[in-house]
Amino acid sequence: MATETPGRDESWYGAGEEVDRIRGAAFKWACLGATLFGISMVFVLLLYVAVDAIRPFSADAGWYLAVGLAAVVPTVALLAYYVRRDREAGWVGATATALPAFCLLVGSGVAILVIEVFPPHEWFAVVPALGAVVAVWAVHQRVRPDPVEFERFGVVALAALVAFVGVPGAVPSLEAALQSALLWLNWPTMMLYSFAGPIALATGILIARRHESRRAGAVATTLTFAAGVVSILLAPAVGVDDYLLVVVALSVAVPTALYAESVLRSGENVSGLALPVVAYVGIAVAAVVVETYGFTGPAAWLDWEFLTEPHSRFPQRAGIYPALVGSIMMMLVIVVSAFPVGVAAALYLEEYAPDNGATGRVVSIIEMNIGNLAGVPSVVYGLLGLALFIRYADMNTGSVVVGGLTVGLLILPIVIISAQEAIRAVPDSMRQASYGMGATRWQTVRNVVLPEAIPGILTGTILAFGRAIGETAPLLMIGAAAVVFNAPGAFTEQFSAMPRQIFAWSSEPSAEFRHGVLAAGVVTLLVVLLSMNAAAILIRNRYQRR
Amino acid sequence: MSDASADDRRAEREDRDRPAFAGQNRVRSVKERAIEWLLFGCAALSVVVTLAIIATLLFDAIDFFTRVSPVAFFTGTNWSPKIDQTYGVLPLLTNTLAVTALSALVAVPVGTASAAYLSEYASDRVRSILKPALEVLAGIPTVVYGFFALVYLTPALRAVGLPVSTFNLLSASIMVGVMIIPMVSSLSEDAMSAVPDSLRQGAYGLGATKFEVTTGVVIPAAVSGIFSSFILALSRAIGETMIVVVAGGMSPKLIPSLFESSQPMTAAMVQLASSDLAGDGAAYQALFAIGLTLFVITFSMNVVSNVVAARYREEYR
């Protein structure tokens, strides 16, 4: 018979009498197990670190009871309701709850910059000088609405020169003059005018645009400024320096209020706003109850002292503050250096680069090179920074600028690649429409492509910055300090960053360092990282829905 | 006349025929050109960075090789820059090799299996939970992985009964393996998802089970992508620094032992950099010699990975 060719039978699927179910099922579950292996291992380890850093078992039963009943149970119950009944409102509630916490982190970062890098009188001088440049630009725009090309650029550049540079040795700049002239003002007044003032103005303009009413804008401006005044008056009661409380209070209050206002105005998912109210009121009630009955909370390693003290030989007193400041300052350098260059490179590669011809070949080499650069080990970038910035450019060993530039170079390929993806996602029809209206290529890029791509670019670059904040090896190469007792006061001073400090602690053999201080440092680093990632996800979600 | 120059000329002609969007305004077109060149400069910076890396590494490495002969460097079996001033890179290389091989033992099977699960078995809902969780793994700083290995994994291994010392190769390698899992799984999953559905349907039509489709059709079809992901992940393992520095120890041995301290190339670099270095001492230059070795290895692995992905890709239309 033709069918009886035994050799060939086996090359057909299902040649046997029955299908082997067990083998398939075993394979499927093995694959699932493999997927869960790495994930669960890391999550268990994260749990261990959290337990070591917070020591939840050292708290009273009463403390758990108070916190559980007042804060956790109502919040979880409300969350369960949202998950079952109203997902959209749940998202609104989660955003409204996370926003103040996130803004508190950012506001504290700004406050640290005010303490360490720009004391109020310098800050106060910079703001009006910047304001003067903006004013010159605005007046010029009104007086000469159709200027000769480069005219406006020249005028603004001149204004900036007068405001910030002056004539060295002869005429002081506007900023320097203000700095020496206004020393008689006290610090809270300075912060009120230079921080609360611009923020109040910006809020007013935003509200006026949203409501298309100048009156609403004026009300918002007044309210914001009044909030600044109130926070200064309340400062003695809170126990924080008044000029810092303005910064922190406004950074939390303004975005939160703006978000709540936008939800209320749209009238959709308003019920979501109950979540932050329940959560934060619950926490406050729990705090009051714990205070009155004298319950002791967990004796966490990660506490206020840990965040505000420098390193110490004694684990109980060791803290991460100088390294935290160092990381923030390094981040600032990275944002200023890597972000614009990365986005510009991505714009060229996506919008300008020709596909063929001599330039096309150069471009394809550049693209391939960026991919390869992303795979170069981070230690090698550290060597590059060591040789380039410290040996040849003669900058200070282990200074903030060198650290920022080195890590900036390291994440540049990642910034470029993610920005390219965001720009590629802009639909071509929008570009064609812009060209059709007679726009030049740069006008199209600036007015159409960039505004459309910026949420995607931000999401990608924030994730890249998250990578930057955890990089350690390049910092070791450029000689960032193992231990600093004072936060760097300028960008040219030697610094230590959070991961560098964690590495220094990891060589301390005592169990109190290993399971206490080190764990607290790791949790601090991960919290900063996690909130950056959460911000990236929030931006992505917000703009995906539109 | 070659095709390439014909292409060039055609491109030039197209350039000339392109409408001048800047209209008759010459200044404006100057501005447009200026912006284009500025952006091009930013893009070209990446090439400058590569050249700068190569130049700085070569510069000091060549100086080093005039003091210590390359033969002695690459065949010497004793690495002791402080005490004996001997620079034999072989022990560092074998230790790097050991870490890479061990981490591959963890990451390759686990990564491939999770890629297969995510691409072939997982429902959309499960995938939307597992993929971000894997991304979390990729986002954790390596110094934190090192801390995990030192403080939790090593005691755990000891509790299981393995005779590990405080700093040991095994726990560092396992952690490096866990760190590179997401790299293998996400790149391999991309390759598997790119296999056209018609192939799967065809196999099902022949009576294949899901298992047979996955192992007999999808994985062979995606094999170039999977291999290139292995190579990339291994190059990452070779260049990995903080885990081995924190948990792996500081004593290189020509024949590394699993349970004892070791020192791969990257860890040796960190140790050299954190000791006091005179600007032109041999120890300082040795840093760049190892850096060059590391760079050449990882860069060529990346190139090979690209070539594998492009060359052996099955094209479906």
Side-chain angles (χ1 to χ4, degrees):
Chain A
M1 292 251 185
T3 49
E4 283 178 331
T5 36
R8 190 180 284 175
D9 265 4
E10 287 166 18
S11 69
W12 285 83
Y13 290 115
E17 291 295 311
E18 56 193 47
V19 174
D20 188 355
R21 281 166 181 271
I22 299 171
R23 192 180 53 174
F27 180 74
K28 179 184 171 183
W29 291 110
C31 286
L32 177 61
T35 316
L36 292 177
F37 162 74
I39 298 174
S40 53
M41 180 165 167
V42 169
F43 276 77
V44 167
L45 290 172
L46 288 175
L47 208 64
Y48 266 104
V49 191
V51 167
D52 272 352
I54 297 173
R55 291 204 286 188
F57 304 117
S58 60
D60 280 354
W63 186 86
Y64 275 109
L65 206 65
V67 172
L69 284 184
V72 177
V73 169
T75 312
V76 170
L78 196 58
L79 265 179
Y81 165 79
Y82 286 134
V83 169
R84 290 178 65 94
R85 294 287 165 80
D86 200 350
R87 287 276 170 96
E88 286 293 309
W91 270 111
V92 170
T95 311
T97 315
L99 197 63
F102 179 71
C103 291
L104 184 67
L105 277 178
V106 175
S108 313
V110 177
I112 284 176
L113 282 182
V114 171
I115 300 174
E116 301 293 345
V117 189
F118 305 108
H121 60 277
E122 286 180 19
W123 177 288
F124 183 63
V126 168
V127 171
L130 211 61
V133 176
V134 174
V136 166
W137 176 75
V139 167
H140 187 259
Q141 202 171 32
R142 187 159 288 190
V143 175
R144 287 183 57 94
D146 195 21
V148 186
E149 205 61 40
F150 291 121
E151 177 189 325
R152 184 164 294 149
F153 176 77
V155 169
V156 172
L158 195 68
L161 216 62
V162 172
F164 288 103
V165 185
V167 181
V171 186
S173 68
L174 183 60
E175 185 228 340
L178 283 171
Q179 226 187 86
S180 49
L182 294 169
L183 274 177
W184 50 270
L185 275 173
N186 60 1
W187 281 12
T189 325
M190 284 182 180
M191 287 320 282
L192 202 57
Y193 284 110
S194 62
F195 190 82
I199 285 189
L201 266 181
T203 315
I205 292 170
L206 194 71
I207 290 286
R209 278 210 192 136
R210 272 190 192 171
H211 286 253
E212 296 179 353
S213 125
R214 291 197 161 207
R215 219 172 122 235
V219 171
T221 307
T222 323
L223 275 180
T224 313
F225 199 76
V229 175
V230 168
S231 66
I232 282 186
L233 296 179
L234 280 181
V238 181
V240 181
D241 283 338
D242 40 17
Y243 67 98
L244 293 177
L245 191 66
V246 185
V247 175
V248 177
L250 285 188
S251 330
V252 175
V254 170
T256 313
L258 281 178
Y259 183 73
E261 195 266 348
S262 77
V263 172
L264 287 175
R265 189 167 44 92
S266 75
E268 287 169 20
N269 305 318
V270 179
S271 66
L273 293 181
L275 186 64
V277 175
V278 167
Y280 289 117
V281 169
I283 290 172
V285 169
V288 171
V289 170
V290 166
E291 189 72 22
T292 32
Y293 289 94
F295 297 133
T296 43
W301 284 98
L302 177 59
D303 54 7
W304 182 248
E305 280 204 305
F306 179 79
L307 294 176
T308 53
E309 294 292 323
H311 170 74
S312 158
R313 275 188 305 122
F314 307 103
Q316 300 294 346
R317 296 224 303 262
I320 204 172
Y321 180 74
L324 191 67
V325 179
S327 276
I328 293 174
M329 289 171 71
M330 191 184 85
M331 218 56 214
L332 213 62
V333 175
I334 296 173
V335 170
V336 170
S337 60
F339 182 70
V341 174
V343 174
L347 278 178
Y348 181 81
L349 293 176
E350 288 303 312
E351 298 294 318
Y352 285 86
D355 288 336
N356 44 23
T359 335
R361 272 200 294 282
V362 173
V363 166
S364 67
I365 289 175
I366 291 178
E367 295 234 7
M368 200 182 72
N369 183 55
I370 289 171
N372 283 333
L373 267 185
V376 172
S378 54
V379 229
V380 173
Y381 278 99
L383 282 185
L384 173 69
L386 174 66
L388 201 63
F389 299 125
I390 296 175
R391 283 280 295 291
Y392 298 127
D394 207 23
M395 296 184 195
N396 288 343
T397 304
S399 62
V400 185
V401 192
V402 174
L405 289 179
T406 307
V407 180
L409 284 181
L410 167 70
I411 62 162
L412 188 61
I414 316 175
V415 173
I416 296 177
I417 291 170
S418 57
Q420 268 183 294
E421 276 170 17
I423 293 168
R424 215 174 292 147
V426 176
D428 223 22
S429 55
M430 295 180 75
R431 293 187 188 92
Q432 304 302 348
S434 171
Y435 288 136
M437 310 250 283
T440 65
R441 197 178 294 202
W442 172 243
Q443 285 167 340
T444 307
V445 166
R446 199 185 58 184
N447 300 327
V448 178
V449 177
L450 262 186
E452 191 65 19
I454 207 80
I457 293 177
L458 279 181
T459 307
T461 41
I462 290 175
L463 292 177
F465 292 149
R467 163 116 194 256
I469 210 162
E471 274 302 336
T472 324
L475 300 182
L476 294 172
M477 290 291 134
I478 58 141
V483 171
V484 285
F485 292 100
N486 292 312
F491 287 97
T492 50
E493 286 179 17
Q494 200 179 29
F495 80 118
S496 180
M498 281 192 287
R500 178 71 187 85
Q501 182 70 64
I502 289 172
F503 174 57
W505 281 331
S506 75
S507 53
E508 300 270 355
S510 82
E512 279 173 318
F513 265 106
R514 290 230 163 133
H515 285 277
V517 178
L518 195 48
V522 166
V523 171
T524 316
L525 179 63
L526 289 178
V527 165
V528 172
L529 241 173
L530 210 69
S531 48
M532 286 173 78
N533 287 7
I537 290 168
L538 275 184
I539 293 174
R540 185 166 63 192
N541 280 355
R542 187 174 161 79
Y543 286 91
Q544 255 176 5
R545 284 209 197 130
R546 278 215 312 220
Chain B
M1 186 147 295
S2 71
D3 284 352
S5 66
D7 269 357
D8 280 0
R9 274 186 289 115
R10 200 177 310 127
E12 267 174 32
R13 223 178 303 129
E14 278 171 10
D15 263 351
R16 227 179 300 130
D17 292 346
R18 197 181 287 162
F21 291 125
Q24 300 302 310
N25 188 338
R26 290 198 52 158
V27 182
R28 177 162 286 177
S29 68
V30 167
K31 182 179 165 188
E32 289 283 318
R33 294 303 292 270
I35 288 170
E36 180 166 351
W37 278 106
L38 186 73
L39 297 183
F40 175 76
C42 289
L45 186 69
S46 71
V47 177
V48 176
V49 170
T50 315
L51 294 180
I53 290 177
I54 296 172
T56 51
L57 289 177
L58 271 181
F59 193 75
D60 278 298
I62 287 175
D63 262 4
F64 176 80
F65 286 132
T66 56
R67 294 187 184 198
V68 179
S69 83
V71 180
F73 181 70
F74 286 110
T75 60
T77 54
N78 183 21
W79 176 261
S80 169
K82 287 255 186 62
I83 304 158
D84 312 338
Q85 308 273 318
T86 48
Y87 303 94
V89 85
L90 267 187
L92 304 181
L93 265 174
T94 56
N95 289 7
T96 297
L97 217 62
V99 170
T100 313
L102 275 174
S103 61
L105 275 183
V106 176
V108 163
V110 172
T112 319
S114 45
Y117 184 80
L118 288 173
S119 158
E120 302 302 314
Y121 288 96
S123 64
D124 283 346
R125 211 178 127 78
V126 173
R127 196 182 301 126
S128 73
I129 297 168
L130 288 181
K131 279 198 80 165
L134 277 171
E135 279 170 30
V136 169
L137 254 62
I140 292 178
T142 54
V143 70
V144 174
Y145 275 116
F147 159 78
F148 285 161
L150 175 70
V151 176
Y152 300 117
L153 190 57
T154 301
L157 291 177
R158 202 174 286 150
V160 173
L162 296 174
V164 289
S165 58
T166 314
F167 300 102
N168 65 84
L169 189 77
L170 183 62
S171 72
S173 308
I174 294 176
M175 268 303 152
V176 174
V178 170
M179 185 200 81
I180 58 175
I181 287 174
M183 206 160 174
V184 176
S185 71
S186 77
L187 291 175
S188 299
E189 194 217 328
D190 288 347
M192 291 185 200
S193 308
V195 174
D197 238 12
S198 56
L199 262 82
R200 292 189 186 89
Q201 303 302 347
Y204 284 131
L206 292 174
T209 61
K210 185 132 191 169
F211 170 74
E212 286 161 339
V213 170
T214 307
T215 55
V217 176
V218 176
I219 291 182
V223 78
S224 67
I226 296 174
F227 264 116
S228 93
S229 86
F230 291 168
I231 298 172
L232 268 188
L234 292 190
S235 108
R236 176 68 67 82
I238 290 176
E240 172 42 43
T241 312
M242 290 323 291
I243 300 178
V244 290
V245 172
V246 172
M250 289 283 170
S251 47
K253 298 184 190 66
L254 188 59
I255 312 291
S257 152
L258 275 188
F259 306 128
E260 280 164 38
S261 173
S262 63
Q263 190 176 44
M265 288 193 284
T266 49
M269 288 170 75
V270 167
Q271 196 185 13
L272 279 177
S274 25
S275 53
D276 288 326
L277 290 177
D280 43 6
Y284 175 85
Q285 288 165 347
L287 196 57
F288 288 84
I290 310 175
L292 185 65
T293 317
L294 192 66
F295 177 76
V296 168
I297 295 175
T298 52
F299 201 82
S300 46
M301 282 178 83
N302 289 355
V303 172
V304 167
S305 156
N306 284 346
V307 170
V308 167
R311 182 91 176 265
Y312 298 100
R313 188 175 55 210
E314 309 255 346
E315 296 265 4
Y316 303 102
R317 306 194 171 190

